[in-house]
Amino acid sequence: MNVNCYIYQITWSPEDDAYLGRCVEFPALSWLASTPEKALLGMRQVIADVIADLEINAESIPEPVDKKHYCKAA
């Protein structure tokens, strides 16, 4: 699965004094970083690691919410 197929959200977290990266399809996961760009890169790496683990363990991988629009190459 291409990690770019998922929907990412980057917001400012006043509580953490950092940018918070999230992925709609993996709501339990997040990544904190000093810049929005680092939050997005970190979140994509987390998702890639989780997908690799799911594949190794033959577990189901969440489908992108809107595969039709966000993942034309997949």
Side-chain angles (χ1 to χ4, degrees), residues 16-72:
D16 298 305
D17 194 32
Y19 289 93
L20 176 65
R22 292 185 180 165
C23 181
V24 171
E25 294 86 350
F26 294 83
L29 304 176
S30 64
W31 186 264
L32 290 171
S34 59
T35 68
E37 295 82 10
K38 288 179 182 177
L40 179 57
L41 288 173
M43 197 62 223
R44 283 186 174 162
Q45 186 59 57
V46 167
I47 298 304
D49 293 345
V50 168
I51 289 172
D53 187 58
L54 292 170
E55 288 174 337
I56 288 168
N57 293 299
E59 296 181 47
S60 64
I61 299 170
E63 289 286 324
V65 169
D66 193 356
K67 192 162 106 177
K68 183 176 176 182
H69 292 103
Y70 291 104
C71 199
K72 297 186 187 299

